[in-house]
Amino acid sequence: MAKDVAQVKGEPDPSPWTTRFADHRGSAIVLSVRFNEATRAILNANVTRDADCVYTTLLIGVGPTGPDSTPTQLTIEAGPSSIGRGQFVEWGFDKIEDLQAVQITAGR
Amino acid sequence: MAFGDADASTPAFVKANGAGKDATTASFTPPNGALLIAFAWHDTAGGNLTNTSQITDSLGLTWSRKATRSKQDDGTGAANGHAAISTATATGAAMTVTTTGTNTGNPAGLYVRVIASADTVTPMDVTPVEGTTNAAVVSTSIVTATDGARCFLMVIDWNVAAAMTAGTGQTAVISDAIGAPDDRIYLGVTNAVTSPAGSTTLSTGSPSSGNTQNWIGIAVRPSGGGSDATATPSTVAATATVPAPTVSTGSSVTPTAVAATAAVPTPTFSSSVAVAPGAVVVAATVPTPAVSTGSTAAPGGAVVAVATVPTPSVSVAGNASVSLPVVALTATVPALAVSTGSTAALGGAVAATAAVPTPTFTSSVAVTTGTVAATAAVPAPTVSTGSTVVFGGAVAALAAVPTPTVSTGSDGGLVGEAHGPLPLAVGAITVHTVSIAGAVT
């Protein structure tokens, strides 16, 4: 979800960077990534999945056959969970702009 | 589930913020024949007049562009930012969909909505509306042509004002940003179909300042031309008549059979259709032959008047109801008028038959009739002095209401009166000579 404030075009997003993937009934996975606004380094992320959301996986990037084959994917359990900085670094994402440089969606 | 709601197979929104100029959905498997609507947003450089986008998929389907709003497509009067809507028809196979920008900025967003029961030949009910709005909410309207269409509003704000909210009577499907962010994007849907067809407002609730927005409004057409329909003819009638024969002096009329049949065709009920005629009347009459002096009217075969109401066929997909206040059938054989010196000899049977057919109830069908009546009468012949009436065969009046067949899950209650066989009322007969060879019932 976008921040509910106007920004200057191209101005970096303030922390957290949040995006929502809703299914046909409006049940969703919400990803909220916290980062250092000065250094832009990713700190951690909170993920919440509605229990009846049909999407169960975060798909970050694109693999040989599309998003479903991306090596950067995470199964999301119902309810709240978190992703530590270490996981992001392991995926190759140090700064928030690294994460924002690839596509992101949700899968089943 | 209302028409236009997202099918459960709809893939998640995808946002691509850098590196490539395209965005690809996760794999999804839409039902065969479903409509796929791709809403694609692409950032553009300021003042860019040469930006385009294209929808492709992993199956090689044919996509039809329905609307584009951008400076390239609409000139300098449009805002920066590129929005496009395309459609295709699903085959039932698993697939992914990609939007690819050309000469656009890197950030892109894609949402593919799967809609069942849409008109895939003409998915856009009317020409899409589009425009550009600056420093204000988007507020427009679209006039639908087909009852039951569903409307959508797509917006891209290149100025990155605050996140957009839905206008009254609408819901935000997507309200997000693409890029760093570089654009705010929005997709809203009306909360209900537009019924009856007419003007529908498409709008955002906020923000009302700081934005520069390209927008597109569409109405998606349902298959079958509309939502559930109700046909309520005041009267359903069929009349068949045999013209009265004219028999002049010295002539003979000897038809082997005189028949008049009137039938109301079987109505066909499709999904959730209600048919409620005020009355269903079928009348079959054999006119009175006029037999003048010295002539003979001797139909050698049966004189039959048959009136039938066909069994309505009620099929699937929803509960259908037939409400018939009156179901009436009348079959009459008119009274013979035999004048002096003439002879009317009916060699065959004289029968009037009125029957209400057995209704067949399938799943969850209710048929409610106010009155079910079958009336059959053989009138009293009028025989004047010196004339003879000879009934060579049986004289019968048969009226029956059949037992309805009620299958599982149905309610075959007949509310009202049912009249079975009626006695034959014999009127006063003043004759000189009457002989009846057969049975009188």
Side-chain angles (χ1 to χ4, degrees):
Chain A
M1 296 174 288
K3 300 299 285 186
D4 191 20
V5 293
Q7 295 180 246
V8 175
K9 186 171 179 67
E11 176 186 274
D13 255 331
S15 176
W17 179 74
T18 302
T19 193
R20 181 173 185 267
F21 304 102
D23 67 13
H24 63 292
R25 292 173 301 203
S27 300
I29 292 178
V30 179
L31 171 67
S32 184
V33 182
R34 293 181 56 249
F35 56 92
N36 184 307
E37 293 185 2
T39 66
R40 315 304 291 173
I42 293 173
L43 300 175
N44 53 45
N46 293 322
V47 188
T48 302
R49 177 180 154 244
D50 292 330
D52 59 349
C53 179
V54 300
Y55 308 133
T56 59
T57 309
L58 274 179
L59 304 172
I60 303 173
V62 179
T65 60
D68 295 90
S69 60
T70 177
T72 311
Q73 54 180 281
L74 192 65
T75 298
I76 307 299
E77 300 296 332
S81 57
S82 62
I83 307 173
R85 171 176 170 77
Q87 178 65 76
F88 283 103
V89 171
E90 184 177 325
W91 284 336
F93 306 126
D94 176 29
K95 297 185 169 68
I96 187 63
E97 284 77 17
D98 298 332
L99 181 62
Q100 292 176 329
V102 298
Q103 77 158 51
I104 183 168
T105 187
R108 300 169 195 254
Chain B
M1 182 174 177
F3 171 71
D5 283 353
D7 184 78
S9 63
T10 296
F13 165 67
V14 54
K15 53 195 292 182
N17 303 301
K21 303 183 186 63
D22 52 19
T24 301
T25 69
S27 178
F28 64 105
T29 307
N32 182 40
L35 178 68
L36 308 174
I37 306 183
F39 299 90
W41 299 264
H42 288 266
D43 183 43
T44 64
N48 185 317
L49 300 176
T50 58
N51 55 85
T52 61
S53 68
Q54 183 181 16
I55 297 291
T56 58
D57 67 79
S58 58
L59 298 176
L61 300 181
T62 300
W63 288 85
S64 172
R65 176 62 54 90
K66 299 305 180 186
T68 307
R69 186 69 184 177
S70 68
K71 281 187 179 293
Q72 159 148 347
D73 197 67
D74 303 286
T76 55
N80 293 308
H82 175 102
I85 299 175
S86 305
T87 64
T89 304
T91 63
M95 61 186 296
T96 61
V97 178
T98 299
T99 182
T100 302
T102 303
N103 201 28
T104 64
N106 289 336
L110 176 64
Y111 173 71
V112 179
R113 191 173 182 96
V114 180
I115 295 179
S117 304
D119 186 333
T120 54
V121 175
T122 310
M124 298 294 103
D125 188 46
V126 294
T127 302
V129 296
E130 58 179 80
T132 297
T133 301
N134 301 322
V137 297
V138 174
S139 183
T140 185
S141 63
I142 189 166
V143 181
T144 67
T146 301
D147 182 45
R150 194 79 179 270
C151 300
F152 296 82
L153 175 66
M154 176 188 191
V155 186
I156 183 167
D157 172 21
W158 194 79
N159 268 9
V160 201
M164 286 174 266
T165 60
T168 302
Q170 299 149 84
T171 298
V173 178
I174 304 289
S175 181
D176 209 309
I178 55 175
D182 291 274
D183 305 85
R184 299 287 186 203
I185 62 173
Y186 170 87
L187 176 66
V189 62
T190 51
N191 292 340
V193 301
T194 300
S195 179
S199 180
T200 299
T201 298
L202 296 173
S203 61
T204 57
S206 64
S208 58
S209 63
N211 45 27
T212 175
Q213 305 158 109
N214 282 333
W215 50 264
I216 302 171
I218 64 170
V220 180
R221 177 178 293 180
S223 64
S227 58
D228 297 349
T230 299
T232 55
S234 57
T235 302
V236 178
T239 303
T241 58
V242 174
T246 300
V247 183
S248 57
T249 304
S251 302
S252 298
V253 177
T254 56
T256 55
V258 179
T261 303
V264 173
T266 304
T268 300
F269 296 79
S270 55
S271 295
S272 302
V273 171
V275 177
V280 178
V281 177
V282 179
T285 60
V286 175
T288 304
V291 182
S292 58
T293 303
S295 301
T296 302
V303 177
V304 177
V306 177
T308 60
V309 173
T311 304
S313 170
V314 183
S315 61
V316 201
N319 297 335
S321 62
V322 178
S323 299
L324 307 174
V326 175
V327 178
L329 300 95
T330 303
T332 58
V333 175
L336 289 174
V338 183
S339 58
T340 303
S342 300
T343 302
L346 305 177
V350 177
T353 304
V356 174
T358 304
T360 301
F361 296 82
T362 56
S363 294
S364 302
V365 171
V367 177
T368 304
T369 61
T371 301
V372 179
T375 302
V378 176
T382 300
V383 183
S384 58
T385 302
S387 301
T388 302
V389 176
V390 179
F391 292 87
V395 177
L398 306 174
V401 175
T403 303
T405 300
V406 183
S407 59
T408 303
S410 302
D411 178 2
L414 297 175
V415 179
E417 300 176 350
H419 298 280
L422 301 176
L424 173 65
V426 178
I429 301 175
T430 302
V431 298
H432 287 266
T433 303
V434 175
S435 65
I436 301 174
V440 175
T441 304

